[in-house]
Every structure is written in C-alpha cells, then in structure tokens.
Amino acid sequence: ATSRISSLKAFSLSGRSTLSFRLRPLPKRLQISCAAKPETVDKVCAIVRKQLALPDDSAVTGESKFAALGADSLDTVEIVMGLEEEFGISVEEESAQSIATVQDAADLIEKLLEKKGA
C-alpha cells in the first residue's frame, strides 16, 4: 500500500524507542539546480540584458524568469536566437518552449554543447 505524505507536517513512530520527525520545506537558497558553468550563466545574463534593453546594473541572475524581466513570447524567441548565435548551437522549438529562466537556458546550452562535442 502506498501512502501519501506530501501534506504531512510531523509524525512519530512508537515501539521500543520513540522516533519523531519534523518535515520542513528546503529553503530556496539551498536548492541546487546548477548544471551550467558560471561563465555560461553570465553570458546568458548579458544576452538577456541586451535583448530586453535592460540597464547593465539590472539584477539578472540564474533564477531570473524571462516573464518577470518583461519578456513576451517574441522577446523569448529573440533571446533564443541570440543564444544560438553566441554559442553556435541550434535550439529545437520544443526545447525552446521549456526555457523559462536564465538557468534553464544556460543548462540547455551546456547540454547542447556537450552533444555537439560528442
């Protein structure tokens, strides 16, 4: 039997000894999702700033969502085209649609560069 514990906050088990756990969500700053090299993320940030005409001092990080930066679907297409030109890659439409953040784009670039080099 499978039990669902996604909404469970705390539980304890009794027997010879008492064991209790408290489940808490992991703070975002500790979640690791970086597959791309920092220099790739930096290049993507620069391309996003350029395509969206953002000031050089604007806060664009790996976690930045294109929509939150003011990008519409056409802007996102232009960003992907800029990435393809900069990195010498080709991004399939299906993959391009899965890009929502700078980190998503950087991870995809690393994956495509790895395939290209293999």
Side-chain angles (χ1 to χ4, degrees), residues 12-85:
S12 29
L13 301 171
S14 313
R16 290 185 181 182
S17 63
T18 303
L19 187 61
S20 57
F21 297 92
R22 182 151 183 85
L23 304 176
R24 295 184 298 176
L26 189 63
K28 279 194 172 198
R29 61 186 166 84
L30 296 178
Q31 290 178 347
I32 299 173
S33 63
C34 276
K37 298 174 190 168
E39 55 268 19
T40 303
V41 176
D42 291 343
K43 276 186 179 181
V44 174
C45 288
I47 291 168
V48 169
R49 275 192 200 93
K50 180 181 175 188
Q51 293 292 339
L52 299 178
L54 299 173
D56 289 337
D57 62 346
S58 61
V60 178
T61 66
E63 292 79 32
S64 297
K65 293 184 178 187
F66 294 154
L69 296 172
D72 59 19
S73 58
L74 180 59
D75 291 324
T76 303
V77 169
E78 290 176 351
I79 289 169
V80 170
M81 288 171 55
L83 297 172
E84 288 177 326
E85 186 176 320

